[in-house]
């Protein structure tokens, strides 16, 4: 799946859609998206199905204190330039 492919390709960022509604937490992200976010050391940009393109001016990065991801911020910064 996505986690295996990312580990082979070493991307700067993973971009994926969201859509799941199996429980309260999944209703925001989707179970697959949530599993990818928790299982990857790379930043994940999750795009909801009703998103309409607009230029990005601000990026928020919220790392998990329980699972630090060394290098994730540098990858995110390289993609944002």
């Amino acid at each position: 799946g996505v986690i295996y492919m990312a580990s082979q390709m070493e991307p700067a960022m993973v971009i994926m859609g969201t859509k799941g509604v199996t429980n309260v937490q999944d209703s925001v992200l989707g179970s697959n998206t949530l599993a990818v976010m928790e299982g990857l050391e790379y930043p994940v940009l999750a795009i909801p199905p009703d998103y309409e393109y607009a230029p990005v001016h601000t990026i928020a990065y919220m790392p998990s204190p329980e699972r630090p991801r060394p290098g994730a911020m540098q990858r995110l910064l390289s993609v944002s330039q």
Side-chain angles (χ1 to χ4, degrees):
V2 175
I3 294 172
Y4 173 77
M5 291 295 296
S7 70
Q8 298 300 305
M9 299 175 67
E10 299 182 6
M13 174 185 285
V14 172
I15 301 171
M16 61 187 302
T18 64
K19 72 173 187 169
V21 291
T22 55
N23 66 36
V24 174
Q25 192 171 27
D26 291 347
S27 69
V28 176
L29 292 174
S31 57
N32 290 330
T33 305
L34 186 60
V36 169
M37 288 178 156
E38 291 175 346
L40 283 181
E41 62 184 73
Y42 307 101
V44 177
L45 176 60
I47 301 174
D50 59 346
Y51 175 77
E52 292 186 29
Y53 175 77
V56 176
H57 300 288
T58 305
I59 297 173
Y61 175 63
M62 298 181 298
S64 168
E66 294 87 26
R67 187 163 178 218
R69 292 175 168 89
M73 187 63 173
Q74 288 76 21
R75 289 185 187 101
L76 184 58
L77 289 172
S78 72
V79 171
S80 70
Q81 298 175 2

